[in-house]
DNA sequence: TTAAAAAAAAGGTTTTTTCCTGTTTATGTG
DNA sequence: CACATAAACAGGAAAAAACCTTTTTTTTAA
């Protein structure tokens, strides 16, 4: 174990209160010190590029305005491979977790964990390169099941657009116009989705989209 | 100003990481010290009743399992009038803010505020008995507008039940059966709501219900 | 280039939703 | 009681959604 070293951490979260509090917590850990905060991915980019402060670990919130956790993780993975990303989120759904891990996050923590777990996670992250909680490991295993994974939650671009537009007051005809497709094609998407998701009507689709975070209210 | 006194604070939030971090932050304020945490209203009740630790202020999260912020605030107002409730939430919608204030909260803070604001809010709370941010003041003023307040957001029992059932995959016929009413009556509710809420279809109703927290997903 | 697979589109039908207007029934009030 | 008012209910009809099957077009890969 590396006991004597001190690692730096950056916090990227639009909730200032949480970020500010988290800083106090992290500074109370032996081996870690907060280098800076950022309110979103864009602010983080500026700090990294202009001020040249490079932390060892970035605690990255997923739900942020302007530039969210997914985009940020993608950019970080491309430009700062050496920084370890620890995703922090309220969402414990499989889709979100997997997406974040695919974008390069080395760990995924729910915001309702015990503070000490954060210490453990940070330490494991710098020592071993990754940290996976039971929930995440379970999700990873579950994701090997081709069922929900491949056929249900992987939507094609057009399908996703349709789902999002269906979560509005537009009629299918209007949706067809916007997407430059025949109403019959839209009906095809609808029918296929209803079958795959085992839902009965458009309300079911809205509820599904919300549960899986495909739309924001 | 009361500079020398030290006030005690309790944190009620199911997100341990946030609660734990917040404790560090609050303990770093001059006049405040965290007395204990609770994961929800029920746990808070037990601590208050059995351990007889009575804080000056309670930081109360709204979204919690088991016993949420509304219930907890109601209970506290009834049994511990002397404790000042400061509601903490992500939701900045009018409905939620007003509901919380009606249940007895003396202040309402969004979780994305700057940490120093929390200090100010806590100090004002013990000094003057309440703290209202600009957003909350604005909401209070806005709530005087009889429009959205009285006619839109005040639903009759049956209407609310209908709205909630309409946010499911049931047909109106099935909803009518469950509510022991004629399908034509249900159609009457629907028509009336569409007109009042200025919505075009059932999806609009679902979105509305979600925005106003009339249903949980 | 050609066969297979995927995507887009169509035809036709039933069910449900939405809309408009009017009637009956319960409920409370002077 | 008579009257006003709100809630429950109804008839009829157009629009949209939902369902099932088949065909055309486009894309992909062999």
């Amino acid at each position: 174990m590396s006991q004597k070293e001190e690692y730096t951490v950056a916090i990227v979260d639009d909730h200032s209160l949480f970020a500010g509090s988290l800083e106090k917590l992290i500074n109370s850990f032996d081996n870690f010190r907060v280098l800076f905060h950022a309110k979103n991915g864009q602010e983080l980019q500026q700090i990294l590029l202009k001020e040249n402060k490079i932390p060892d670990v970035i605690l990255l919130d997923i739900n942020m305005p302007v530039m969210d956790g997914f985009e940020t993780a993608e950019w970080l993975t491309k430009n700062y491979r050496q920084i370890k990303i620890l995703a922090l989120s309220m969402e414990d759904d499989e889709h979100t977790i997997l997406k974040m891990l695919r974008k390069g996050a080395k760990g995924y923590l729910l915001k309702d964990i015990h503070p000490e777990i954060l210490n453990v996670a940070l330490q494991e992250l710098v020592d071993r390169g990754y940290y996976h909680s039971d929930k995440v490991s379970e999700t990873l295993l579950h994701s090997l099941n081709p069922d929900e994974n491949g056929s249900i939650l992987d939507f094609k671009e057009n399908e996703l657009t349709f789902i999002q537009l269906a979560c509005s007051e537009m009629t299918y005809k209007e949706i067809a116009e916007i997407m430059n497709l025949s109403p019959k094609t839209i009906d095809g998407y609808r029918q296929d989705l209803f079958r795959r998701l085992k839902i009965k009507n458009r309300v079911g689709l809205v509820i599904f989209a919300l549960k899986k975070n495909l739309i924001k209210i």
Side-chain angles (χ1 to χ4, degrees), chain A:
Chain A
M1 291 257 185
S2 35
Q3 285 290 351
K4 284 158 289 184
E5 293 184 62
E6 184 173 70
Y7 298 98
T8 52
V9 179
I11 301 173
V12 186
D13 198 316
D14 59 316
H15 298 104
S16 306
L17 185 59
F18 181 62
S21 307
L22 203 57
E23 172 169 356
K24 303 273 181 195
L25 178 71
I26 291 171
N27 284 337
S28 81
F29 296 159
D30 280 347
N31 299 353
F32 299 92
R33 186 174 53 84
V34 174
L35 199 58
F36 65 85
H37 290 193
K39 279 199 196 319
N40 54 58
Q42 234 170 53
E43 214 178 289
L44 175 70
Q45 286 181 326
Q46 288 171 358
I47 297 174
L48 288 176
L49 295 169
K50 293 187 185 165
E51 304 188 21
N52 205 37
K53 290 180 181 172
I54 313 294
D56 297 304
V57 180
I58 287 182
L59 285 186
L60 185 57
D61 186 33
I62 295 182
N63 301 111
M64 292 180 296
V66 188
M67 183 173 172
D68 71 16
F70 299 116
E71 286 180 80
T72 309
E74 206 163 20
W75 182 83
L76 281 171
T77 304
K78 200 181 291 176
N79 298 282
Y80 291 89
R81 278 208 141 279
Q82 74 274 29
I83 304 178
K84 308 229 181 312
I85 303 171
L86 182 56
L88 260 183
S89 170
M90 307 276 221
E91 325 291 341
D92 72 339
D93 68 292
E94 211 171 297
H95 188 245
T96 308
I97 295 177
L98 286 172
K99 190 169 170 189
M100 206 59 202
L101 294 179
R102 270 197 295 262
K103 299 276 187 197
K106 298 284 184 281
Y108 191 106
L109 284 187
L110 291 176
K111 285 190 178 172
D112 59 359
I113 53 155
H114 190 276
E116 183 51 32
I117 300 283
L118 178 63
N119 197 352
V120 173
L122 285 171
Q123 198 62 54
E124 292 235 340
L125 211 62
V126 293
D127 284 349
R128 301 181 12 192
Y130 64 90
Y131 172 82
H132 290 329
S133 67
D134 292 350
K135 166 72 188 173
V136 174
S137 306
E138 186 191 308
T139 301
L140 282 170
L141 280 175
H142 196 229
S143 77
L144 297 176
N145 181 349
D147 204 52
E148 315 222 338
N149 191 269
S151 65
I152 296 197
L153 281 178
D154 254 14
F155 298 109
K156 284 153 205 133
E157 207 53 42
N158 261 356
E159 276 181 333
L160 204 58
T161 307
F162 164 69
I163 293 175
Q164 285 158 351
L165 293 173
C167 296
S168 78
E169 296 190 37
M170 273 184 274
T171 66
Y172 289 140
K173 207 167 117 189
E174 291 168 333
I175 293 175
E177 275 168 29
I178 285 191
M179 293 182 68
N180 269 314
L181 289 169
S182 155
K184 283 297 183 180
T185 304
I186 294 298
D187 190 53
Y189 289 173
R190 182 199 55 73
Q191 202 160 330
D192 198 43
L193 284 168
F194 280 22
R195 191 182 43 73
R196 275 158 58 201
L197 306 178
K198 298 191 213 313
I199 54 181
K200 290 188 178 64
N201 56 32
R202 204 167 149 176
V203 173
L205 190 62
V206 175
I207 303 289
F208 172 85
L210 276 162
K211 282 190 178 161
K212 299 295 177 183
N213 283 312
L214 301 179
I215 52 165
K216 294 251 169 287
I217 295 272

